[in-house]
Amino acid sequence: MSADVQSNTEALSKVDSAIDDGAPASPSESKIKHRRTSSTVSGVFNINDLEKEGVELKIAPETQRLNWKVNSSSSTVDDKEILKKMLTHPPIKKIDLRFPLGLEVTARNMKGVTIKDALDAIHKQFKKKADDELDAPYLAGFEWDKDECYTRFIVHQKKTGEAAPPSGKKKNKNKGEEA
């Protein structure tokens, strides 16, 4: 029987031309390869790394005047250009968004979380809710309390969707016309 095993081994080594002589015998011996680098973008950070370095995050101020209903799609925002802006500076790959009652959603984007990514994450939780089921259906903005939790933003909501306040330039023009 040992003669059969020996002949099988010899036959395999002769026939198996797909084996690379320099390749390791088992996968555990092979070098561990990292994920694709094409999905990572330079200048976009992991929030945990920023926390270790003590970097200050700045939330885009445009989020406070979106006048967006949480149970409607992000495409309903009036100014579509705002959706393309990064949610934070410096850009991050993911952020947890926590609501006052404890609900938490995560916005992710390997190229940097945009305002649209945050709105889409929130919308996913509320899309099946009717307007009368929501106490405060409009997004009022985000708050970052780095002392409480560095890796989480607090989501603020409001009951009514007031018209967005005009920018400083428009106010100055109106004041000049009235005077």
Side-chain angles (χ1 to χ4, degrees), residues 44 79 156:
V44 178
D79 188 357
H156 291 284

Side-chain angles (χ1 to χ4, degrees), residues 36-56:
R36 286 176 279 177
T37 55
S38 62
S39 62
T40 59
V41 176
S42 62
V44 178
F45 302 94
N46 183 327
I47 195 161
N48 296 324
D49 296 340
L50 293 177
E51 181 178 20
K52 289 174 191 169
E53 295 171 20
V55 176
E56 288 284 321

